[in-house]
Amino acid sequence: MQHRLSELGYLTADDVDGKYGPKTANAVSSFREINGLEGSGDTADSSFLVRLYGSSAKQYSEPYLIMKIPPSSYGQWKSSGNKLAMRVKVQNASLNRTVKAFKIYMYATDIWGERLYGDTTVYYETTKKTVKPGETVYCNYVYLPQRKDIDRVYVGIYQVICTDGTLREADKVDYSYWIID
Protein backbone atom coordinates (compact mmCIF):
# COMPACT_ATOMS: atom_id res chain seq x y z
CA MET A 1 0.00 0.00 0.00
CA GLN A 2 2.81 2.43 0.85
CA HIS A 3 4.55 1.69 -2.48
CA ARG A 4 1.38 2.54 -4.41
CA LEU A 5 0.83 5.70 -2.33
CA SER A 6 4.44 6.67 -3.12
CA GLU A 7 3.90 6.07 -6.87
CA LEU A 8 0.95 8.46 -6.73
CA GLY A 9 2.90 11.13 -4.79
CA TYR A 10 1.18 10.74 -1.41
CA LEU A 11 4.38 9.45 0.26
CA THR A 12 8.07 9.91 -0.52
CA ALA A 13 10.26 6.86 -1.15
CA ASP A 14 11.86 7.47 2.29
CA ASP A 15 8.42 7.20 3.94
CA VAL A 16 7.91 3.62 2.67
CA ASP A 17 8.89 1.68 5.77
CA GLY A 18 6.22 -1.03 6.14
CA LYS A 19 4.65 0.69 9.17
CA TYR A 20 1.27 2.39 9.40
CA GLY A 21 2.51 5.49 11.18
CA PRO A 22 1.42 9.16 11.12
CA LYS A 23 2.81 9.85 7.61
CA THR A 24 0.98 6.87 6.13
CA ALA A 25 -2.23 7.82 7.97
CA ASN A 26 -1.94 11.37 6.56
CA ALA A 27 -1.30 9.97 3.06
CA VAL A 28 -4.37 7.71 3.32
CA SER A 29 -6.49 10.65 4.51
CA SER A 30 -5.24 12.86 1.65
CA PHE A 31 -5.85 10.10 -0.89
CA ARG A 32 -9.42 9.64 0.39
CA GLU A 33 -10.11 13.37 0.17
CA ILE A 34 -8.58 13.91 -3.30
CA ASN A 35 -10.29 10.78 -4.66
CA GLY A 36 -13.71 11.64 -3.18
CA LEU A 37 -13.97 8.62 -0.92
CA GLU A 38 -16.37 8.79 1.99
CA GLY A 39 -15.78 7.26 5.38
CA SER A 40 -13.21 7.65 8.11
CA GLY A 41 -10.26 9.90 7.23
CA ASP A 42 -7.30 7.57 7.61
CA THR A 43 -8.99 4.17 7.26
CA ALA A 44 -7.65 1.90 4.51
CA ASP A 45 -10.91 0.00 4.00
CA SER A 46 -11.97 -1.99 0.94
CA SER A 47 -13.30 1.06 -0.98
CA PHE A 48 -9.97 2.77 -0.37
CA LEU A 49 -7.96 -0.21 -1.61
CA VAL A 50 -10.12 -0.68 -4.72
CA ARG A 51 -9.56 2.96 -5.70
CA LEU A 52 -5.87 2.93 -4.74
CA TYR A 53 -5.06 0.01 -7.04
CA GLY A 54 -7.57 0.96 -9.74
CA SER A 55 -6.90 2.95 -12.88
CA SER A 56 -8.99 5.90 -11.65
CA ALA A 57 -6.70 6.69 -8.67
CA LYS A 58 -5.79 10.39 -8.75
CA GLN A 59 -2.25 11.66 -8.27
CA TYR A 60 -1.51 13.83 -5.24
CA SER A 61 -1.82 17.53 -5.86
CA GLU A 62 -1.08 19.90 -3.02
CA PRO A 63 -3.91 22.25 -2.08
CA TYR A 64 -3.16 25.93 -2.73
CA LEU A 65 -3.90 26.98 0.86
CA ILE A 66 -2.31 24.06 2.72
CA MET A 67 -3.69 24.82 6.18
CA LYS A 68 -7.28 23.67 6.64
CA ILE A 69 -9.92 23.36 9.30
CA PRO A 70 -10.89 19.67 9.28
CA PRO A 71 -14.67 18.96 9.24
CA SER A 72 -14.54 17.55 12.77
CA SER A 73 -12.28 20.29 14.12
CA TYR A 74 -12.50 21.01 17.80
CA GLY A 75 -13.10 24.59 18.95
CA GLN A 76 -12.36 25.98 22.39
CA TRP A 77 -13.80 29.19 23.76
CA LYS A 78 -13.88 31.09 27.01
CA SER A 79 -15.51 34.30 28.17
CA SER A 80 -13.66 37.24 29.62
CA GLY A 81 -16.02 40.03 30.59
CA ASN A 82 -18.00 40.84 27.45
CA LYS A 83 -15.38 39.24 25.16
CA LEU A 84 -15.25 35.75 23.71
CA ALA A 85 -11.83 34.18 23.20
CA MET A 86 -11.87 31.36 20.66
CA ARG A 87 -9.37 29.04 19.02
CA VAL A 88 -9.76 26.00 16.77
CA LYS A 89 -7.72 23.03 15.64
CA VAL A 90 -6.21 23.37 12.17
CA GLN A 91 -4.23 20.92 10.06
CA ASN A 92 -1.36 21.21 7.63
CA ALA A 93 -2.84 19.36 4.63
CA SER A 94 0.44 19.31 2.73
CA LEU A 95 2.45 16.14 2.53
CA ASN A 96 5.69 18.01 1.90
CA ARG A 97 5.67 21.60 3.16
CA THR A 98 6.14 22.88 6.69
CA VAL A 99 4.19 25.96 7.78
CA LYS A 100 5.80 28.66 9.89
CA ALA A 101 2.77 30.95 10.33
CA PHE A 102 -0.90 31.24 9.38
CA LYS A 103 -3.62 33.84 9.77
CA ILE A 104 -7.14 33.00 10.97
CA TYR A 105 -10.19 35.18 10.24
CA MET A 106 -13.25 35.15 12.53
CA TYR A 107 -16.61 36.85 12.71
CA ALA A 108 -19.78 36.23 14.70
CA THR A 109 -23.55 36.26 14.20
CA ASP A 110 -26.43 36.69 16.62
CA ILE A 111 -29.37 34.29 17.12
CA TRP A 112 -31.09 35.72 14.02
CA GLY A 113 -28.05 35.06 11.83
CA GLU A 114 -27.16 38.75 11.53
CA ARG A 115 -23.45 39.53 11.44
CA LEU A 116 -22.13 41.43 14.44
CA TYR A 117 -19.57 44.23 13.90
CA GLY A 118 -20.75 44.93 10.31
CA ASP A 119 -20.81 42.92 7.09
CA THR A 120 -17.13 43.38 6.23
CA THR A 121 -15.49 43.33 9.67
CA VAL A 122 -13.46 40.27 10.63
CA TYR A 123 -11.15 39.73 13.56
CA TYR A 124 -7.88 38.00 12.91
CA GLU A 125 -4.82 36.58 14.57
CA THR A 126 -1.55 35.27 13.17
CA THR A 127 -0.27 32.07 14.75
CA LYS A 128 3.51 31.80 14.47
CA LYS A 129 4.05 28.12 14.98
CA THR A 130 5.93 25.43 13.05
CA VAL A 131 3.37 22.96 11.70
CA LYS A 132 4.85 19.91 10.00
CA PRO A 133 3.08 18.11 7.14
CA GLY A 134 -0.05 16.36 8.41
CA GLU A 135 0.26 17.90 11.88
CA THR A 136 -2.77 19.33 13.69
CA VAL A 137 -2.41 22.29 16.09
CA TYR A 138 -4.54 24.97 17.74
CA CYS A 139 -4.44 28.47 16.36
CA ASN A 140 -3.93 31.36 18.78
CA TYR A 141 -7.01 32.72 20.53
CA VAL A 142 -8.95 35.42 18.72
CA TYR A 143 -10.90 37.87 20.92
CA LEU A 144 -14.38 38.89 19.77
CA PRO A 145 -16.43 41.66 21.46
CA GLN A 146 -20.12 41.50 22.42
CA ARG A 147 -19.98 38.01 23.96
CA LYS A 148 -23.58 38.22 25.17
CA ASP A 149 -24.82 38.68 21.57
CA ILE A 150 -22.80 35.87 19.95
CA ASP A 151 -24.65 32.75 18.80
CA ARG A 152 -22.23 31.44 16.14
CA VAL A 153 -18.60 32.05 15.34
CA TYR A 154 -17.30 31.61 11.79
CA VAL A 155 -13.63 30.73 11.36
CA GLY A 156 -11.52 30.50 8.22
CA ILE A 157 -7.87 30.48 7.19
CA TYR A 158 -6.81 33.53 5.23
CA GLN A 159 -3.04 33.30 4.85
CA VAL A 160 -0.25 30.71 5.12
CA ILE A 161 3.52 31.22 5.17
CA CYS A 162 5.72 28.15 4.65
CA THR A 163 9.26 27.67 5.92
CA ASP A 164 10.49 27.86 2.29
CA GLY A 165 9.18 31.46 2.11
CA THR A 166 6.05 30.67 0.09
CA LEU A 167 3.15 33.02 0.97
CA ARG A 168 -0.38 32.08 -0.03
CA GLU A 169 -3.61 34.01 0.54
CA ALA A 170 -7.17 32.85 0.07
CA ASP A 171 -9.10 34.56 -2.73
CA LYS A 172 -12.22 33.76 -0.75
CA VAL A 173 -12.06 32.51 2.84
CA ASP A 174 -13.80 29.16 3.38
CA TYR A 175 -15.49 29.45 6.77
CA SER A 176 -16.50 26.74 9.24
CA TYR A 177 -18.74 27.64 12.18
CA TRP A 178 -19.33 26.77 15.81
CA ILE A 179 -22.51 27.33 17.83
CA ILE A 180 -21.59 29.03 21.09
CA ASP A 181 -23.61 27.97 24.10
Side-chain angles (χ1 to χ4, degrees):
M1 182 178 76
Q2 285 181 327
H3 286 287
R4 179 66 174 147
L5 286 167
S6 178
E7 288 172 7
L8 295 169
Y10 292 89
L11 288 172
T12 66
D14 292 341
D15 295 332
V16 178
D17 60 4
K19 298 175 185 165
Y20 195 91
K23 287 185 178 183
T24 301
N26 189 40
V28 169
S29 181
S30 294
F31 181 87
R32 292 185 78 86
E33 185 175 330
I34 289 171
N35 284 272
L37 295 173
E38 297 196 15
S40 182
D42 63 0
T43 303
D45 59 13
S46 60
S47 65
F48 168 85
L49 295 171
V50 166
R51 179 65 60 87
L52 179 65
Y53 292 105
S55 61
S56 64
K58 294 180 183 174
Q59 289 278 118
Y60 173 72
S61 63
E62 184 173 271
Y64 176 73
L65 202 63
I66 63 175
M67 291 300 287
K68 69 177 186 176
I69 299 172
S72 60
S73 180
Y74 185 69
Q76 291 182 331
W77 57 85
K78 58 187 177 182
S79 294
S80 174
N82 197 26
K83 287 188 178 179
L84 176 78
M86 180 153 182
R87 69 181 187 166
V88 298
K89 279 191 174 181
V90 295
Q91 181 182 36
N92 180 345
S94 173
L95 299 176
N96 308 306
R97 292 178 188 251
T98 300
V99 170
K100 74 175 183 181
F102 57 94
K103 186 179 284 186
I104 294 284
Y105 273 12
M106 286 189 193
Y107 71 90
T109 60
D110 61 21
I111 59 171
W112 295 280
E114 297 292 324
R115 271 182 84 150
L116 303 173
Y117 335 118
D119 288 342
T120 58
T121 301
V122 294
Y123 288 81
Y124 58 88
E125 178 66 33
T126 300
T127 300
K128 294 178 182 176
K129 189 179 288 190
T130 300
V131 188
K132 296 177 183 172
E135 189 175 24
T136 301
V137 298
Y138 276 105
C139 68
N140 290 345
Y141 278 102
V142 177
Y143 293 86
L144 303 171
Q146 296 175 252
R147 165 59 185 111
K148 63 180 178 36
D149 298 330
I150 296 173
D151 180 61
R152 291 184 186 200
V153 174
Y154 291 79
V155 182
I157 297 171
Y158 171 67
Q159 193 176 66
V160 176
I161 302 171
C162 298
T163 55
D164 65 6
T166 305
L167 167 68
R168 294 189 176 163
E169 292 182 350
D171 291 331
K172 182 179 181 221
V173 177
D174 184 23
Y175 287 98
S176 299
Y177 72 87
W178 283 260
I179 298 172
I180 308 300
D181 47 13

